[in-house]
Amino acid sequence: MTASVLCAIDISQPEIDLCVLRVAERLARLDDARLDVITVVPDFGMSVVGQYFDKEFHDRAVAKARKLLDEFVIGAIGAEANKAVRHIVATGKAYEEILHAAREAGSDLIVIGAHKPDLRDYLLGPNAARVVRHSDCSVYVVRQPC
């Protein structure tokens, strides 16, 4: 079975997650593992605000996220390394989609950043904490600044 590292990126914060991706790529290289990179687009259709968006909004948001993710990965690790990366753009709650993608891919490791903890999430951000708590595989949390 091929080893797999799943790296969770918030495409709206590329300057913060640049280090997260570079750490994930280095860990994948160490194990000769496939690198999967995921970003999650919120599901506006399921919320109260969803009624204010036209039906094509989601498709445009996903297409834009896919383009930004590809550009981000190329900028972080280079075009040649990007060719071997599997890009995943999911829709929904970030932690749920990250866990789902890890299970589907049979990931051996999830790499995620810990962003801006507040008082109730003192050690980890809410998405990172949920991923750590519910993951079936190991989770590597990258602290900022790195």
Side-chain angles (χ1 to χ4, degrees):
M1 178 162 80
T2 303
S4 169
V5 173
L6 177 66
C7 178
I9 297 296
D10 182 350
I11 205 65
S12 69
Q13 299 182 25
E15 65 285 345
I16 293 173
D17 279 346
L18 178 63
C19 181
V20 176
L21 178 56
R22 287 184 175 157
V23 167
E25 192 267 340
R26 188 171 58 244
L27 291 169
R29 241 184 315 114
L30 284 173
D31 253 0
D32 197 26
R34 181 187 73 223
L35 178 60
D36 299 331
V37 180
I38 184 171
T39 193
V40 181
V41 175
D43 185 6
F44 295 110
M46 297 296 287
S47 66
V48 175
V49 298
Q51 65 187 336
Y52 297 104
F53 297 100
D54 62 43
K55 292 180 181 178
E56 290 79 34
F57 177 81
H58 175 264
D59 294 338
R60 289 192 308 270
V62 168
K64 178 72 172 178
R66 189 172 310 284
K67 180 179 183 292
L68 290 172
L69 184 61
D70 189 54
E71 291 170 353
F72 175 72
V73 174
I74 289 170
I77 64 172
E80 193 60 35
N82 181 53
K83 292 177 184 175
V85 174
R86 188 169 69 119
H87 299 81
I88 303 165
V89 177
T91 302
K93 294 179 181 169
Y95 71 93
E96 288 177 352
E97 295 303 322
I98 293 165
L99 293 170
H100 176 75
R103 285 186 197 109
E104 287 290 310
S107 297
D108 302 292
L109 178 67
I110 299 171
V111 179
I112 191 167
H115 305 132
K116 301 179 189 172
D118 63 16
L119 190 54
R120 72 171 185 255
D121 298 305
Y122 186 71
L123 297 176
L124 294 174
N127 286 314
R130 287 179 177 140
V131 169
V132 169
R133 206 170 26 249
H134 299 290
S135 178
D136 296 331
C137 65
S138 296
V139 180
Y140 188 105
V141 179
V142 179
R143 290 281 182 192
Q144 302 296 329
C146 49

